[in-house]
Amino acid sequence: MADNKLPSGIDRVVGQRIRWRRKELKLTQEKLGDLLGLTFQQVQKYEKGVNRVSAGRLFEMSSAMGVPITYFFDGAETFFAKGDSSVAEDSEGVHAPVMTSEVLDLIAAFQKIEDHSLRKSLLATVQAAATAFEGKQQDED
């Protein structure tokens, strides 16, 4: 297989966004596969970034999942701008931000909060905790 056909960092980011949206919709890989005429294994490979998603398939996914096609690229610029573009074809696994079930649960719960000031306050609290943790880690190094 030619090197330019191998999945790249952006393929992994797109795969992560597919997984994230599927979980938001509470779909199994099998159910999403049924909607798209795919096996759950193919959905799994797309989500892991093992297989590239063609433009046509990405269009089908965006329609089936009710999001614009740009949804799958949201945040990619920020990710690569931070110097983490090493997500390319190395064998050390995915370096993209990992959306664990805990992170997805947090996002889903946060989105249910309708009070704008409460959401803003919670976000500030989480950001402050993250900043304090980063500072603590740097002190230990």
Side-chain angles (χ1 to χ4, degrees), residues 37-87:
L38 301 170
T39 64
F40 81 90
Q41 292 98 331
Q42 186 60 44
V43 172
Q44 188 175 57
K45 287 178 181 181
Y46 285 150
E47 288 183 0
K48 289 183 176 182
V50 173
N51 287 3
R52 297 187 123 171
V53 182
S54 71
R57 180 71 71 203
L58 199 58
F59 181 80
E60 291 171 4
M61 285 184 178
S62 71
S63 297
M65 298 171 107
V67 291
I69 203 163
T70 56
Y71 169 88
F72 299 107
F73 300 97
D74 285 349
E77 304 88 11
T78 305
F79 175 73
F80 289 106
K82 288 182 181 178
D84 289 331
S85 58
S86 62
V87 280

Side-chain angles (χ1 to χ4, degrees), residues 21-38:
R21 181 63 179 163
R22 178 181 60 78
K23 291 206 172 248
E24 279 182 323
L25 296 172
K26 296 182 177 18
L27 295 173
T28 63
Q29 289 176 335
E30 186 173 4
K31 180 64 178 168
L32 180 58
D34 289 344
L35 289 171
L36 299 168
L38 301 170

